[in-house]
Amino acid sequence: MSDRPLDDVWFPRDLPVLRAIARLVDSPSSGGAPYLGQVVPASGLPKPEVTAAARALVSAGYVEALTNVAGEVVRFTGISAEARRLAGLWPTPQGEWERLREQLAARAEKAPTEVERARWRAFAEAASAIGEHDGALLMAALIGGYVPRAR
């Protein structure tokens, strides 16, 4: 028995399979319920790896699947909201905060006048001063549709 931690399987195995499933579930070409045989080439991983990832993703609640009588995953019938975010189909607060900061920087750089460039730079600097944590909280509120009311 080894005391060393187990090898990471999320990034090299489970996440690529989740992304492949998400693309196929969201695609009309698979009818929204891709077979395991469609996920294997879409993931770029060998079938035993995809099978192991499928079991892990089902048990974690990221994907819903149909199984055969032996309990093997045959077809994927859906993915959770969290899986959509992890796969990149839906926005995350952190990702949207970064996109906002990139937009502010681009507008500051490309504004037609110095006055406008200065305003956009000030906005970009204010966003940086807020920081990633509070910026992500703000974006979570915006993504979720929550806008505080004036008091």
Side-chain angles (χ1 to χ4, degrees):
M1 181 177 213
S2 174
D3 285 339
R4 83 175 186 83
L6 297 174
D7 292 335
D8 169 36
V9 293
W10 176 251
F11 288 105
R13 185 191 76 187
D14 296 354
L15 184 57
V17 171
L18 177 62
R19 286 181 173 150
I21 294 167
R23 277 192 303 273
L24 291 167
V25 163
D26 213 47
S27 166
S29 66
S30 69
Y35 287 98
L36 183 74
Q38 292 173 286
V39 174
V40 171
S43 71
L45 295 171
K47 185 176 180 180
E49 292 287 310
V50 173
T51 301
R55 282 193 308 269
L57 294 168
V58 168
S59 71
Y62 288 125
V63 300
E64 298 168 10
L66 297 176
T67 58
N68 61 19
V69 293
E72 299 164 333
V73 172
V74 176
R75 191 170 197 166
F76 299 94
T77 58
I79 59 175
S80 70
E82 181 61 17
R84 288 182 178 279
R85 280 185 278 282
L86 290 169
L89 292 176
W90 283 0
T92 63
Q94 297 82 0
E96 291 307 295
W97 179 248
E98 188 55 36
R99 282 175 27 131
L100 174 65
R101 293 184 62 224
E102 288 169 3
Q103 280 294 312
L104 293 172
R107 288 181 183 267
E109 182 182 318
K110 297 179 183 191
T113 68
E114 185 53 43
V115 170
E116 288 175 284
R117 279 191 292 278
R119 287 180 182 157
W120 284 113
R121 272 195 304 270
F123 195 178
E125 289 167 7
S128 292
I130 288 171
E132 289 180 32
H133 178 73
D134 287 333
L137 289 174
L138 171 66
M139 297 316 285
L142 293 174
I143 291 167
Y146 171 74
V147 178
R149 296 177 189 249
R151 295 182 188 218

